[in-house]
Amino acid sequence: MINIIPEIFLILSSFTLLIIGVFSKTFNKFLNYIVSILAATGVILSAAYSLWLCKRVVFGEFKVNNHGEKLLDLDATEFVILFLLMILTIIFGVYPNLILEPISSSVDLIVKNMGAIK
């Protein structure tokens, strides 16, 4: 059950952004509703797919490979790669400015240009 919690938060945040988009006054009302219907369809399909995938991965049966042998756990190389990715994820989660500071000037320029479009 604990494995589904990130999926639930992803779905809730998507619906929150969808509701904000529906009631924004940026575009034409008709176009706003068409885009929101398409976005809602995408959110529902992605939620259904991610829950189906989680069910298959977490509760699925143990598979064998083409030669009839059981699949093995991680070897040393795969473990080192996943460990490094885990460490990077924790570092960037705790101190995201390592990523955000180098891209801030580009993002500011994009936001400035988007403000000029309105």
Side-chain angles (χ1 to χ4, degrees):
M1 184 64 187
I2 196 79
N3 296 329
I4 298 176
I5 290 175
E7 310 283 331
I8 292 171
F9 285 125
L10 178 67
I11 294 166
L12 289 177
S13 65
S14 299
F15 274 121
T16 303
L17 290 174
L18 182 65
I19 295 298
I20 290 171
V22 168
F23 294 111
S24 70
K25 304 210 182 326
T26 308
F27 295 116
N28 182 352
K29 285 257 187 210
F30 180 72
L31 179 64
N32 218 6
Y33 288 122
I34 297 296
V35 170
S36 63
I37 288 171
L38 290 174
T41 305
V43 167
I44 291 168
L45 289 176
S46 66
Y49 176 74
S50 64
L51 290 173
W52 174 77
L53 180 68
C54 183
K55 177 186 166 199
R56 286 189 64 190
V57 169
V58 174
F59 302 113
E61 60 188 48
F62 191 71
K63 302 284 185 182
V64 295
N65 63 8
N66 294 338
H67 304 293
E69 303 165 353
K70 281 190 174 182
L71 297 174
L72 301 175
D73 278 340
L74 299 175
D75 62 356
T77 307
E78 294 167 337
F79 180 78
V80 167
I81 291 170
L82 286 176
F83 183 75
L84 290 175
L85 287 173
M86 181 187 68
I87 294 297
L88 284 174
T89 302
I90 291 171
I91 289 172
F92 290 143
V94 172
Y95 189 66
N97 284 338
L98 291 173
I99 296 174
L100 297 178
E101 283 179 7
I103 66 169
S104 65
S105 61
S106 300
V107 172
D108 290 340
L109 183 63
I110 291 171
V111 169
K112 182 179 169 184
N113 289 338
M114 291 301 288
I117 292 173
K118 288 182 183 180

